Amino acid sequence: MFTRMLKLRLLNAVAPAYFFMATAVTFILHFCFFIPTIFPNADTSLTGSTTLHTVVFLFLMFNALGNYIMTITYPAESANEIVVPVCSAHCSDKVDAHYLLNGRHFCKLCKKVILKRDHHCFFTGNCIGNKNMRYFIMFCIYTSCTCLYSLVLGVAFLTVEYSISFENPLTFLTLLPLSTGYFFTGTVSGLQLFLVLMLYVWLGIGLVCAGFCCQQVLLVARGQTWCQMQRGQLVENRSPWRSNLKDVFGTRWILGLILPVQTAETCFEDTDQHKQD
């Protein structure tokens, strides 16, 4: 158990660094390679398209980073419990957290009591619970959109710069192994191979974030958490799905779709303490 906990702590430190590195690489590729190549400055007829793509990319990136920061700014820990409570008799003694009572968990990585804990996110380095679930879901949505949008621009860049045709659906499937082989034979440059690798990174992150987001929205609509689903525990006195979504996304949910701002009350301590997890 000590070895596994050490691996989790290492992952908790490496994952945020990986996220910021991937974000910086995406930002540099977009403004230093994609936009100048796909929309050259000499062509004045493409000025509107250049501005549009730049605004869309900055909007997606701003919301992804903004909700990432909000997820960390509004942690899910209990402000009333400084001393760790005694673990309940029903605790399954998970490696990363102990189940307490009344919807509370003690996270061994955060070393704090978490209200209505869903899971521990290694990319943000903290637990996702009742106070930051909305920001986490929006973070997943905009991260997925940013990655898939970058994937499209990356494909366009390879088509314009290296004359790679993607008309054949099998091109994308064979692109990485062929590019790797051509790189070792000296036919493909290191930059081209790196761009091909980034295409697969964007595709993977985009699909994973999209799938994870759908799962979280479904759990929120059911009034359930990931911890409850893992234990196979059903939610008693389940509220209507509209009410559950409103509790997380707030009444100003439309504003929250376009800006990383607070749209719901964060003071659920009194109500969540009386709810069974």
Side-chain angles (χ1 to χ4, degrees):
M1 181 175 292
F2 174 78
T3 304
R4 186 176 178 183
M5 195 65 189
L6 183 61
K7 293 179 180 179
L8 293 178
R9 292 190 183 279
L10 180 62
L11 181 61
N12 201 47
V14 172
Y18 169 80
F19 170 76
F20 283 111
M21 182 179 66
T23 301
V25 169
T26 301
F27 194 87
I28 294 173
L29 288 177
H30 184 90
F31 287 103
C32 295
F33 294 94
F34 295 168
I35 293 299
T37 302
I38 301 174
F39 308 103
N41 294 329
D43 194 345
T44 57
S45 62
L46 298 177
T47 304
S49 299
T50 303
T51 304
L52 177 62
H53 281 280
T54 302
V55 170
V56 171
F57 177 79
L58 290 177
F59 172 76
L60 296 176
M61 186 70 76
F62 170 76
N63 277 277
L65 292 176
N67 284 286
Y68 179 88
I69 294 174
M70 294 292 280
T71 303
I72 301 174
T73 305
Y74 291 93
E77 72 255 16
S78 172
N80 300 328
E81 296 184 79
I82 301 178
V83 181
V84 180
V86 178
C87 188
S88 69
H90 303 286
C91 176
S92 56
D93 194 22
K94 297 293 183 182
V95 174
D96 62 333
H98 280 299
Y99 170 63
L100 304 176
L101 292 173
N102 302 325
R104 290 142 53 246
H105 289 78
F106 174 71
C107 179
K108 298 180 182 179
L109 295 174
C110 297
K111 295 183 179 180
K112 295 176 182 178
V113 177
I114 308 300
L115 298 175
K116 203 174 181 181
R117 181 181 187 269
D118 187 86
H119 68 282
H120 184 93
C121 177
F122 292 100
F123 286 99
T124 60
N126 65 346
C127 280
I128 307 301
N130 62 336
K131 295 181 182 179
N132 55 5
M133 176 60 73
R134 188 198 79 79
Y135 309 115
F136 176 76
I137 292 177
M138 297 308 301
F139 163 69
C140 290
I141 291 176
Y142 278 104
T143 299
S144 176
C145 291
T146 303
C147 288
L148 296 179
Y149 183 72
S150 299
L151 172 65
V152 174
L153 289 182
V155 169
F157 174 82
L158 290 177
T159 302
V160 173
E161 184 70 13
Y162 299 103
S163 301
I164 299 178
S165 176
F166 289 88
E167 294 181 358
N168 189 343
L170 296 178
T171 301
F172 191 83
L173 298 177
T174 59
L175 186 60
L176 180 59
L178 290 178
S179 298
T180 304
Y182 290 148
F183 171 76
F184 286 107
T185 59
T187 308
V188 171
S189 63
L191 176 61
Q192 184 176 345
L193 177 62
F194 179 74
L195 290 173
V196 171
L197 288 174
M198 288 304 300
L199 292 184
Y200 287 89
V201 170
W202 287 325
L203 178 63
I205 296 177
L207 294 180
V208 169
C209 286
F212 199 70
C213 174
C214 293
Q215 172 189 277
Q216 293 302 120
V217 172
L218 178 61
L219 290 175
V220 169
R222 296 172 58 184
Q224 197 175 25
T225 64
W226 176 255
C227 290
Q228 290 174 331
M229 189 178 69
Q230 280 188 316
R231 294 200 307 270
Q233 184 176 357
L234 299 178
V235 180
E236 298 180 0
N237 300 324
R238 183 181 300 174
S239 303
W241 65 271
R242 292 180 182 270
S243 178
N244 293 329
L245 291 177
K246 183 179 178 181
D247 289 340
V248 172
F249 291 93
T251 55
R252 300 179 298 166
W253 60 272
I254 297 181
L255 179 62
L257 292 178
I258 58 177
L259 289 174
V261 295
Q262 182 177 342
T263 59
E265 296 294 332
T266 59
C267 298
F268 300 106
E269 299 249 354
D270 295 336
T271 57
D272 284 335
Q273 296 259 354
H274 294 87
K275 291 181 180 180
Q276 293 293 330
D277 189 25

